[in-house]
Amino acid sequence: MVWLIGSKGMLASEIAAQLNQHNIQWIGSDREVDITDKAAVEAFIQQNFSSGSLQWIINCAAYTAVDKAEDDHAMAQKLNADALINICTATKHYGATLIHFSTDYVFDGSSSIPYIETDSTNPQSVYGRTKLQGEQNIIELLPEHYIIRTAWLYGKSGNNFVSTMLRLMNEKDNLKVVNDQRGSPTYAIDLAKAVLQIIQLDNHRYGIYHYSNEGNITWYDFACEIYRQGKRMGLIKKDCSIEPCTSSEFPQKAHRPSFSLLNKQKMKETFPLSIPQWDESLTSYLKGVTQNAQF
């Protein structure tokens, strides 16, 4: 049985759908369970799982407001780092296995080739530093773990870059999008399928893994493809010009890595799985948006 933490979030919603599809029993929790409180974590497990039934804990909870974290270090630290001590303690006590999600923000973006799991970390933001501390807490406390670093996540639930672009492209005549941050998006359904593969194989190949869709683009490239496909599918009703710009034209509190491509070879070889190209996954997402718009 699975405990899905942060179950109402974008990624967790897709993981829940995969678990349901494959008849894997799970119980979810969200903000009603304070994972920064050791007693609350223990009480939830005691109340919801019979002895020996808890096999997996999937932690999708995080403080993800990247810019807000710069002024709210204490809460980011509690959710992204300190809570992992409680989760790891419970995972170990009940003999479960942890799947936890981290971020490309643990890197500083100075590389010119895709980051592998063993590359040196050097986070440049409160968000990145607290997520890295969470990783380190897991590694120190719990051998049976999978840490999956991902990037540029988008999906059906909640606001994300794709939904924001679709809205703005229908409202504005022109948009500027940064063209000096390079990476690859991650479609939440694709990552959820990878999580299911880990659970089903259960091959005990613990450690850190990287996952995003295949490709090498900037946010400007991403926006142009959203516009192209969105127009073709009838999701964008008007013309909108998209112009490239630099990050300095849109100053933000938190530093973003200028290069955050993740090398997925370890993930593909270990589990194994096929990772879709970013533009193919965008098509899948937009088809879902089109279908929902028809009802």
Side-chain angles (χ1 to χ4, degrees), residues 39 62 78 103 109 157 169 213 217 240:
K78 285 180 72 174
T103 173
S157 303
M169 288 167 183
N213 286 120
I217 60 169
C240 177

Side-chain angles (χ1 to χ4, degrees), residues 102-289:
S102 192
T103 173
D104 57 320
Y105 280 60
V106 300
F107 299 113
D108 61 15
S110 62
S111 180
S112 58
I113 57 173
Y115 285 101
I116 62 173
E117 290 78 359
T118 53
D119 280 337
S120 296
T121 53
N122 186 27
Q124 300 293 300
S125 63
V126 168
Y127 171 69
R129 288 192 292 273
T130 56
K131 290 296 286 183
L132 179 60
Q133 183 62 58
E135 289 186 14
Q136 292 167 343
N137 289 345
I138 294 169
I139 292 166
E140 183 179 331
L141 294 169
L142 186 68
E144 297 81 16
H145 68 260
Y146 296 97
I147 295 169
I148 304 174
R149 293 177 181 147
T150 190
W152 299 20
L153 187 69
Y154 70 97
K156 289 182 289 186
S157 303
N159 292 325
N160 58 76
F161 183 78
V162 185
S163 62
T164 299
M165 286 295 107
L166 289 174
R167 176 178 59 81
L168 291 175
M169 288 167 183
N170 276 304
E171 292 174 356
K172 297 182 177 295
D173 295 328
N174 53 74
L175 288 175
K176 286 188 174 184
V177 183
V178 294
N179 198 35
D180 56 2
Q181 295 174 26
R182 186 164 289 277
S184 185
T186 306
Y187 184 27
I189 288 180
D190 295 333
L191 180 51
K193 288 177 179 177
V195 170
L196 188 83
Q197 181 85 331
I198 292 171
I199 291 173
Q200 289 183 319
L201 278 178
D202 194 15
N203 60 10
H204 300 179
R205 300 283 294 277
Y206 305 123
I208 298 175
Y209 291 88
H210 287 172
Y211 188 97
S212 68
N213 286 120
E214 298 283 20
N216 178 347
I217 60 169
T218 67
W219 289 107
Y220 169 74
D221 298 328
F222 198 12
C224 289
E225 185 64 13
I226 292 166
Y227 181 73
R228 189 186 72 79
Q229 292 195 27
K231 283 279 281 188
R232 180 166 52 83
M233 294 185 191
L235 293 169
I236 298 169
K237 310 294 186 183
K238 58 183 286 300
D239 291 339
C240 177
S241 66
I242 306 162
E243 300 173 24
C245 69
T246 63
S247 299
S248 61
E249 292 180 60
F250 286 94
Q252 295 171 299
K253 281 194 173 184
H255 176 83
R256 270 76 171 163
S258 59
F259 182 95
S260 63
L261 275 174
L262 300 175
N263 184 312
K264 278 84 69 173
Q265 199 59 35
K266 181 181 175 184
M267 175 73 94
K268 289 188 284 189
E269 290 176 354
T270 303
F271 292 107
L273 46 83
S274 175
I275 300 179
Q277 289 287 325
W278 70 273
D279 52 344
E280 296 171 4
S281 290
L282 176 62
T283 302
S284 298
Y285 170 84
L286 292 176
K287 283 180 177 177
V289 174

